[in-house]
Amino acid sequence: MSTRSEPAGARSADRRRAGLLAATEPVRAAASAGALALTYPLLRGAPRGEPHAVLVLPGLLASDASTVTLRRWVRGLGYPVVGWELGRNRGPTKEITEALPKLVTRLAEQHGGPVSVVGQSLGGIYARRLALRVPRLVRQVVSLGSPFGLAGRPADGTPGARAYDRYRHLHSVSGRPRGGLGGSLPVPSTAVYSPWDGVVDWRACRQEPGPRAENVGVHASHLGMGHDPAVLWLVADRLAQTREDWRPFTPPARLRLLYTRDDED
């Protein structure tokens, strides 16, 4: 009797927690903005590396307006950075799936080398697909709260999955790449996730770790990742990595509390 009731109770607790996280997303996103203002003096010491092109991709139903803070941060670090300029993200439509490889090609030609691609939520799934389609043009991928582990699978009931399903009839991508999007990529990749994500299942935002593949946990909300101090520092640190000597992320001591530990997940 207790064996049956415990899983049911656990599922009920999970649903309550998910509902609370979803309801508080806007408030927690605003808290990240406030934390950014408080920690900005510390962030000014963020790493800087070799200048190269950076492409920032927005999440579902968002546009370049949602990544203004992130792009301003990257630009301040000395990198030429652009948004995708494709309007509102309604999922992998034919227009988007055809335009993104062309955009990466143009940026690589303009700046004389591979492009780092930073994608928020669904934008991170696009980034991983780009790494598989045109690996010689992609320097690295950084995904922020991107549930690539669910790509090609039925909706899991999270708010993000339900929103994605509403636009599925417009999408031209079906199925999953061989090996799935959570497997090894031909370029270095950093998957940022948050156990406090109220829009997607954070467990689907993690990849299989490897020599050039890592997962980094933060305390941010889903909507607040693009302006969360921990995320901004991490993006700076990843962009500063050289192509020849990529190393896993290590949080700086003064910001260590902004990142999750393995025993917190």
Side-chain angles (χ1 to χ4, degrees):
M1 181 174 178
S2 60
T3 303
R4 292 185 178 183
S5 63
E6 286 176 1
R11 288 195 297 270
S12 178
D14 284 346
R15 287 194 296 270
R16 288 196 300 271
R17 182 176 187 274
L20 178 62
L21 290 176
T24 57
E25 270 284 335
V27 174
R28 292 186 293 116
S32 284
L36 174 58
L38 291 173
T39 59
Y40 192 75
L42 295 177
L43 295 181
R44 293 174 65 181
R48 288 164 170 78
E50 173 190 37
H52 65 277
V54 180
L55 171 62
V56 180
L57 303 176
L60 180 65
L61 301 182
S63 67
D64 285 333
S66 69
T67 64
V68 167
T69 298
L70 181 55
R71 284 184 286 120
R72 185 178 295 145
W73 168 251
V74 171
R75 186 175 297 110
L77 294 169
Y79 303 97
V81 58
V82 299
W84 75 344
E85 299 180 355
L86 291 171
R88 190 172 297 278
N89 185 357
R90 292 182 173 82
T93 62
K94 182 178 180 180
E95 176 193 12
I96 288 172
T97 55
E98 291 180 353
L100 284 179
K102 295 177 182 177
L103 175 55
V104 170
T105 300
R106 175 171 61 82
L107 289 173
E109 291 175 349
Q110 285 180 349
H111 298 279
V115 180
S116 287
V117 187
V118 181
Q120 188 162 5
S121 195
L122 182 57
I125 294 178
Y126 296 159
R128 293 182 73 88
R129 287 188 181 275
L130 282 169
L132 292 171
R133 291 183 65 181
V134 288
R136 66 183 182 84
L137 302 179
V138 177
R139 179 178 173 124
Q140 68 174 312
V141 166
V142 180
S143 59
L144 310 179
S146 304
F148 47 79
L150 297 177
R153 296 179 180 176
D156 64 355
T158 58
R162 292 197 302 270
Y164 183 88
D165 253 12
R166 287 200 293 271
Y167 293 88
R168 193 178 291 274
H169 64 286
L170 301 175
H171 302 166
S172 65
V173 174
S174 60
R176 304 163 70 195
R178 183 175 297 178
L181 284 175
S184 177
L185 294 182
V187 303
S189 58
T190 299
V192 181
Y193 68 93
S194 172
W196 305 99
D197 198 312
V199 175
V200 302
D201 185 343
W202 64 273
R203 292 163 292 194
C205 302
R206 303 198 299 182
Q207 63 187 333
E208 181 179 338
R212 298 197 301 170
E214 64 180 345
N215 301 300
V216 179
V218 297
H219 297 289
S221 66
H222 185 85
L223 299 177
M225 279 197 184
H227 52 259
D228 183 80
V231 173
L232 295 184
W233 181 281
L234 177 137
V235 168
D237 184 272
R238 297 298 81 195
L239 294 179
Q241 296 291 296
T242 65
R243 284 178 285 180
E244 298 78 16
D245 189 25
W246 184 92
R247 297 181 181 181
F249 176 69
T250 300
R254 61 185 179 277
L255 297 176
R256 193 174 300 277
L257 291 178
L258 299 181
Y259 301 90
T260 67
R261 301 187 308 272
D262 290 343
D263 58 2
E264 291 179 310
D265 298 346

